[in-house]
Amino acid sequence: MIAVEVCIGCDDAAGVCRDAGAAMVGGAARVELCGQMRDEGLTPDWELVRMARAVFTQPGVLAMIRTRPGDFSFAAAEVRAMEGQIRRAAEAGVDGVVIGALGADGVLDRAALAGLVAAAKGRDLEVSLHRAFDATLDPAAALETLVELQFDRILTSGTPWRGAGGAVAGLKRVQALVAQAAGRIEVVVGGGVEPENADVFATALPGDRWSLHAYSGVRMDGRVCAERVRALVECGGGR
């Protein structure tokens, strides 16, 4: 079986509840709650987060923490705002947050990330790095920094941020990252992931410290489909 993380766009109460329920029925290990998916995911509305938390009753509710669209280089005031959003996320009952920050040079903003991680870990929240990872100039060096900063997970497609191709195209880099991580941090593989290609990852990736992240690949008619989530989970067979 493959651990699957389902991305849910938080646009309306009924939709969030339906999607969170379908993800749980389908066997998802986690859900990532994001506002404004048209902007590639921003911090969600906290009332909608609470609703999703009430439906997805097992551990594994994550909230995106991203104050604005655009690049991942944040001013000090924006970082402080994200620290406040982490507090709000904890109050809403999440189990983890999804964050990211880069310097203008394409290197992880270590100081900003350290503050965000401290805000999260001080509230017993898990921490994932979103696809700002794929915007770094040196993914191998970035992985080591994230291990040092005590991140729990990295989300990556193995291809450059906003570049062509998804996780299947980036499989070689994903393999290298999983090997480098060596169980020290979980590699979450996302970008065009769907039941129809999940066996590619199940065959190619070693060990069990990796998982799959899906958005459009588990949706039908604009909503999360429990059957497609289950199909994705079960593509791992006896893994």
Side-chain angles (χ1 to χ4, degrees):
M1 307 294 278
I2 292 176
V4 171
E5 177 178 291
V6 173
C7 180
I8 294 176
C10 293
D11 299 315
D12 65 275
V16 165
C17 291
R18 285 197 303 269
D19 286 353
M24 186 165 179
V25 168
R30 297 183 300 271
V31 290
E32 181 194 42
L33 307 176
C34 299
Q36 300 183 51
M37 290 299 292
R38 64 184 178 275
D39 291 321
E40 299 165 327
L42 302 181
T43 304
D45 176 89
W46 300 121
E47 186 57 34
L48 296 182
V49 170
R50 291 186 182 91
M51 291 179 179
R53 167 79 285 174
V55 174
F56 196 88
T57 55
Q58 68 190 37
V61 175
L62 312 181
M64 172 68 76
I65 304 294
R66 185 174 173 229
T67 54
R68 57 160 174 78
D71 64 26
F72 302 113
S73 181
F74 297 103
E78 292 176 307
V79 175
R80 288 193 297 273
M82 288 191 285
E83 290 173 354
Q85 290 178 346
I86 289 172
R87 174 182 56 79
R88 295 288 304 278
E91 292 170 352
V94 305
D95 302 296
V97 292
V98 185
I99 62 174
L102 303 181
D105 56 0
V107 175
L108 292 175
D109 186 338
R110 190 183 186 107
L113 292 175
L116 295 172
V117 169
K121 296 289 185 179
R123 293 172 173 83
D124 295 323
L125 300 179
E126 296 180 341
V127 186
S128 304
L129 189 91
H130 54 55
R131 286 196 58 201
F133 183 83
D134 288 336
T136 60
L137 295 180
D138 187 342
L143 185 149
E144 295 302 326
T145 298
L146 295 170
V147 170
E148 292 172 15
L149 289 172
Q150 299 184 332
F151 272 73
D152 298 286
R153 302 182 188 93
I154 301 165
L155 175 61
T156 181
S157 71
T159 57
W161 173 243
R162 292 177 174 161
V168 172
L171 184 57
K172 286 187 177 180
R173 174 169 284 181
V174 170
Q175 286 176 306
L177 291 168
V178 171
Q180 179 187 349
R184 296 174 297 161
I185 189 169
E186 181 178 342
V187 177
V188 185
V189 186
V193 170
E194 58 187 10
E196 291 76 13
N197 61 24
D199 59 335
V200 172
F201 306 103
T203 300
L205 299 178
D208 58 5
R209 196 80 199 276
W210 61 271
S211 57
L212 296 179
H213 173 102
Y215 177 59
S216 59
V218 293
R219 297 169 78 85
M220 288 187 67
D221 300 321
R223 303 263 49 119
V224 174
C225 171
E227 289 75 18
R228 286 192 64 77
V229 175
R230 185 176 299 110
L232 187 57
V233 170
E234 291 177 352
C235 273
R239 187 180 79 86

